[in-house]
Amino acid sequence: MDGPLNRAGRLVRWFVRPFAGQEPSFYRAVTACLLAAGLFWQMNALNKTYTTRVSCPLAWHYDSARYVPLRPLPTALPVTVTGQGWRLLRANMGWGTHPADLRPVPLPGTRYLPPAAWRRGLQNALEGVQINEWAGDTLRLTFDRYATRRLPLALAPDSGQTRGARFAPATVSFRGPASLVNSLPSPYPVALPNGAGASDNVEVELRAPSQVRPSVSTVRVSRLASTAPAAPGRRRAINHFSR
């Protein structure tokens, strides 16, 4: 029966028969011709114009000593570009390209970068290609000023301790975004670790919000002796003996 598999087998044998029994030099010549044809085809394709999407790295420039972003700034931005195949290949592979320099105004309330600033920075980074579309209008930028606040320490209300405590150091400086630092409670609560109930002197890790940095990482907590008032009967006995 002459089925599709038989016809395919005959076609393969017909194609392979001229190459059977040849000298090794023949196979080397055929291989070199195929490689050369593929190379010329690839070079011809790269000389044409295409539209594609590339990821452009970003470099942010702002006064980082005074301002802090409340959310991580993006490190790259996808853009749709049109250009010659060679230039698009370089942009995709990162050959000879540099990050786009972006200079936001890091004032509280800044929510986005003007499109003109995006286009200027991207066009300077992606030389030789035309930028058609970019996602700059969808990015959210939230900056805040740095602030420092010095707060006294106290045991956390839910620590279950009936005695007071002494801290070393007694006050700690917290530095970070002003909106977070100004919302910290005063005195700042310190929670004792589990199993420290019977210890009168323990070193405790000082925990703070993720973007707030305390001046010390640990504090030493010394619990004070109990100062509970004496019972009324004992107070009268003490007064009797004092006479």
Side-chain angles (χ1 to χ4, degrees), residues 72-157:
L73 297 175
T75 58
L77 180 67
V79 293
T80 303
V81 297
T82 299
Q84 191 185 37
W86 288 106
R87 296 186 181 276
L88 296 179
L89 178 63
R90 290 180 55 193
N92 273 306
M93 302 300 294
W95 298 337
T97 60
H98 57 274
D101 293 326
L102 302 181
R103 304 178 183 276
V105 180
L107 297 175
T110 299
R111 293 293 182 268
Y112 62 92
L113 199 63
W118 282 107
R119 179 176 289 276
R120 182 171 59 253
L122 295 175
Q123 195 66 66
N124 292 337
L126 300 174
E127 295 181 273
V129 299
Q130 176 185 351
I131 298 176
N132 302 327
E133 184 182 2
W134 69 98
D137 57 342
T138 64
L139 295 179
R140 296 291 182 264
L141 310 177
T142 306
F143 288 89
D144 200 356
R145 288 186 176 89
Y146 271 117
T148 301
R149 188 180 175 198
R150 194 168 183 84
L151 298 174
L153 304 179
L155 287 177

Side-chain angles (χ1 to χ4, degrees), residues 19-36:
F19 300 97
Q22 300 291 338
E23 296 293 331
S25 58
F26 172 81
Y27 297 109
R28 289 195 294 268
V30 171
T31 302
C33 291
L34 292 176
L35 291 177

Side-chain angles (χ1 to χ4, degrees), residues 92-238:
N92 273 306
M93 302 300 294
W95 298 337
T97 60
H98 57 274
D101 293 326
L102 302 181
R103 304 178 183 276
V105 180
L107 297 175
T110 299
R111 293 293 182 268
Y112 62 92
L113 199 63
W118 282 107
R119 179 176 289 276
R120 182 171 59 253
L122 295 175
Q123 195 66 66
N124 292 337
L126 300 174
E127 295 181 273
V129 299
Q130 176 185 351
I131 298 176
N132 302 327
E133 184 182 2
W134 69 98
D137 57 342
T138 64
L139 295 179
R140 296 291 182 264
L141 310 177
T142 306
F143 288 89
D144 200 356
R145 288 186 176 89
Y146 271 117
T148 301
R149 188 180 175 198
R150 194 168 183 84
L151 298 174
L153 304 179
L155 287 177
D158 57 351
S159 61
Q161 301 296 322
T162 58
R163 294 188 290 171
R166 181 183 295 110
F167 297 88
T171 58
V172 174
S173 295
F174 295 86
R175 178 172 173 78
S179 57
L180 296 180
V181 172
N182 293 334
S183 64
L184 296 177
S186 179
Y188 191 79
V190 177
L192 295 179
N194 295 332
S199 177
D200 290 332
N201 197 337
V202 62
E203 191 169 353
V204 180
E205 180 182 1
L206 190 61
R207 300 183 180 275
S210 58
Q211 290 187 294
V212 177
R213 185 174 66 253
S215 57
V216 296
S217 58
T218 60
V219 294
R220 183 161 294 277
V221 182
S222 302
R223 293 191 299 168
L224 303 177
S226 178
T227 57
R234 182 174 177 83
R235 186 183 297 112
R236 286 195 298 269
I238 294 175

